[in-house]
Amino acid sequence: MTTTMTAGRCNVREAAYAVFAHYGVDRLFGNPGSTELPMLKAMPFPYVMGLNEAVVMGMADGYARSTGRAALVNLHSSAGTGHSLGNLFTAWKNNAPVVVTAGQQARSILPHDPFLGAERPTEFPRPYVKFAIEPARAEDVPLALARAFAIALTPPMGPVFVSIPVDDWERECDMPALPSLSLRTFPDPAGIDAIASMLAGADNPALVIGTAAANAGAWDAAVALAEKAGLSVWAAPYAARETFPEDHPQFAGFINAWRDQIRDALDPHDAILVVGAPVFTYHVEGSGPHWPAHASLMALTDDPQHLSNLPGGGGVLGDIRAGLEQLAERLPARKFTGKTHQFIDPAPEMKAAYVLKRLSQLRPEDAVIVEESPTARHPVHVTLPIRREGGFYSCASGGLGYSLPGAIGVALGQSDKVIAILGDGAAMYTIQGLFTAMQEQANVSFCIMNNAAYAALTGFSSEFGMNHVPGCDLTGLDFAKLADAQGVPSRVVASVDELDGALEWSFAQEGPSLLDIRIA
């Protein structure tokens, strides 16, 4: 963070742009509305336009997570904010530092229930923001923005919301002083000692890593700790970022979000350290212990919510990367004796596993995967190893419509090829994001796994004793035509013979492209 404008008189817009510069903002994601127009006057950086506010929010989330900086989003009052709420919820679950400004009607007409006014603007996005405010005076807007950025970037990071009346931007104000902040909070050494004692005293210890570890930049620290201490490493349920090199011999696999399956997976271990994740994320009801009864458990995280409902064991709050580095210093060297996650070699047929295996083998070396294809998630795990830091992004909320625009944001935030693996149902939530991909020439290969159904729901229906789910047939969707209509080059892939050539063509593009992959 760099200091920009010094204290003095200016207008609210000038002060706001000084705040944005101080926090490294270099673009604005938005869909313009009437109450936001004065904010856009003399804007000093690019405007990234989305055709729907859900697209805008998803792009900002992807950009924030891939850069590690706060992303700035500008929305309209009630309707525009409402359109964004699904992906705002996802940004909350993703711990994405997104600063949302929303236009409000002029203060002088707010008592008259104006057209497009937001009656209770700070309540609308709650509880899925860390902070929400409509400043009482125009003069208070710059300080509210500065506070919003600081809160968004404080671990656990997350979205914040500032409602700004349209007539505030030209008002005079004092430029607030902007501090330089260091926001890492180191864990208590006594807590680290307790974790080290648990792991050192175990015969077969395990490390379970979640999304927050990636957000903390703990990839190298996790590898160093696991290799020194001989730990088996598991990905926590529904991890929305890369957790550990998945082709590493100490990577044990992915834990499912069912209590009995968690116990079964972790049963060989007598000590379990959960890092950057709850204990545990569940998808359905369960019973019995949350982990094997014979095992000791501790958690290390920067999120107090992970520890506040910890069902036993022990917890340590603080910076995850620092905690893992301190553990590696304290623990003695031990040889790894656990089991390694196994990948499969599927037969050549138009099914998800084979398509993903060929995608894995043909992808550029440093390609980044963005995934939102619920029925393909397991095939991804057994065919497509994530091998690099910053190499994987998904949706922690489970809501659809994030990853298509999220992939665009990731592509704008870093230079490597992005491959978006999307289900047909998921892609349709925010398909108009392809227009922004074309405008921005985002380097994304959109790979639509088109099975003509909401197949995740039909597959999950057995949990509730159902053999039929209405409203899941998506027959007839043509994603190549949808892409062509928005200026994105595309191909339909309907056979194994076409697959490799189509993937190579898409990966060779320097801008966006789309493959409509017809799978069984």
Side-chain angles (χ1 to χ4, degrees):
M1 302 171 193
T2 58
T3 303
T4 53
M5 182 179 291
T6 57
R9 295 296 286 179
C10 55
N11 67 32
V12 169
R13 183 176 52 254
E14 292 166 340
Y17 278 107
V19 173
F20 301 156
H22 181 75
Y23 285 97
V25 172
D26 60 0
R27 66 198 69 203
L28 174 63
F29 296 88
N31 178 275
S34 57
T35 55
E36 298 85 77
L37 291 179
M39 178 187 178
L40 308 182
K41 187 185 298 184
M43 192 171 58
F45 40 62
Y47 187 94
V48 182
M49 184 268 288
L51 296 181
N52 177 281
E53 288 82 358
V55 171
V56 168
M57 189 64 68
M59 289 192 296
D61 178 316
Y63 186 78
R65 291 208 287 165
S66 64
T67 62
R69 302 195 306 272
L72 179 63
V73 171
N74 186 228
L75 303 175
H76 200 41
S77 54
S78 295
T81 301
H83 292 158
S84 78
L85 287 183
N87 275 339
L88 182 63
F89 171 65
T90 292
W92 168 262
K93 289 292 188 179
N94 286 348
N95 294 123
V98 177
V99 175
V100 179
T101 60
Q104 170 67 295
Q105 276 288 7
R107 292 178 186 271
S108 63
I109 59 174
L110 286 178
H112 304 285
D113 192 19
F115 185 63
L116 293 175
E119 182 180 348
R120 290 183 284 184
T122 62
E123 295 179 32
F124 198 20
R126 284 179 170 146
Y128 301 117
V129 290
K130 293 180 69 179
F131 171 71
I133 189 171
E134 182 175 278
R137 305 179 305 161
E139 297 93 318
D140 300 326
V141 168
L143 186 58
L145 288 169
R147 185 181 180 195
F149 274 92
I151 292 172
L153 289 163
T154 299
M157 297 181 291
V160 295
F161 182 88
V162 183
S163 174
I164 305 174
V166 65
D167 54 337
D168 282 5
W169 295 102
E170 303 291 348
R171 301 286 179 87
E172 282 197 349
C173 68
D174 289 320
M175 179 64 209
L178 299 176
S180 178
L181 303 175
S182 179
L183 299 172
R184 294 177 69 192
T185 302
F186 282 67
D188 177 20
I192 296 299
D193 287 342
I195 295 174
S197 177
M198 179 191 75
L199 295 176
D203 292 325
N204 188 13
L207 182 62
V208 179
I209 309 184
T211 303
N215 294 340
W219 176 271
D220 290 338
V223 173
L225 172 63
E227 290 179 346
K228 182 178 181 184
L231 306 177
S232 295
V233 182
W234 295 86
Y238 292 121
R241 288 282 308 270
E242 74 283 355
T243 58
F244 195 82
E246 292 169 13
D247 57 352
H248 193 287
Q250 289 177 233
F251 183 67
F254 302 86
I255 297 179
N256 293 324
W258 279 254
R259 193 179 299 192
D260 58 338
Q261 294 183 38
I262 291 171
R263 289 197 303 269
D264 290 345
L266 296 178
D267 188 69
H269 305 291
D270 56 348
I272 302 161
L273 173 59
V274 179
V275 173
V279 180
F280 289 95
T281 298
Y282 300 117
H283 197 182
V284 296
E285 288 184 284
S287 60
H290 294 267
W291 66 86
H294 61 266
S296 300
L297 181 140
M298 292 195 73
L300 169 66
T301 182
D302 58 11
D303 190 341
Q305 295 299 318
H306 293 166
L307 302 183
S308 65
N309 59 0
L310 192 64
V316 179
L317 183 68
D319 183 82
I320 294 168
R321 186 177 76 210
L324 295 179
E325 290 169 347
Q326 292 167 18
L327 284 170
E329 293 173 358
R330 286 166 169 76
L331 285 168
R334 186 202 330 236
K335 186 177 180 180
F336 172 68
T337 59
K339 294 182 179 180
T340 301
H341 178 60
Q342 298 299 306
F343 293 91
I344 65 171
D345 187 16
E349 54 186 344
M350 288 302 289
K351 293 186 176 180
Y354 181 74
V355 169
L356 292 165
K357 181 73 172 182
R358 297 306 300 153
L359 185 154
S360 176
Q361 293 174 334
L362 296 172
R363 61 179 158 164
E365 180 64 28
D366 292 324
V368 177
I369 304 298
V370 180
E371 181 267 338
E372 189 179 290
S373 182
T375 53
R377 176 62 72 91
H378 176 69
V380 165
H381 289 166
V382 294
T383 60
L384 179 56
I386 303 302
R387 300 184 290 244
R388 56 160 287 190
E389 185 175 18
F392 179 76
Y393 299 87
S394 187
C395 169
S397 73
L400 298 182
Y402 164 75
S403 289
L404 190 151
I408 301 169
V410 171
L412 296 178
Q414 52 82 58
S415 59
D416 294 317
K417 168 68 79 174
V418 174
I419 302 172
I421 301 170
L422 307 172
D424 46 358
M428 284 303 299
Y429 273 68
T430 45
I431 195 66
Q432 62 271 63
L434 295 177
F435 183 73
T436 305
M438 178 275 293
Q439 282 198 322
E440 298 292 327
Q441 282 301 290
N443 191 14
V444 183
S445 293
F446 297 98
C447 297
I448 311 296
M449 308 294 281
N450 187 351
N451 57 15
Y454 283 126
L457 286 180
T458 58
F460 194 63
S461 62
S462 61
E463 291 286 336
F464 302 98
M466 301 171 65
N467 56 20
H468 173 71
V469 182
C472 292
D473 185 1
L474 303 182
T475 301
L477 285 172
D478 190 324
F479 287 93
K481 290 181 179 178
L482 288 167
D484 293 344
Q486 297 179 76
V488 173
S490 67
R491 293 188 182 182
V492 174
V493 185
S495 71
V496 168
D497 292 340
E498 300 170 316
L499 181 60
D500 282 11
L503 289 169
E504 290 169 343
W505 166 81
S506 180
F507 298 161
Q509 303 302 305
E510 295 184 359
S513 60
L514 182 143
L515 299 178
D516 182 344
I517 304 173
R518 308 291 174 85
I519 61 172

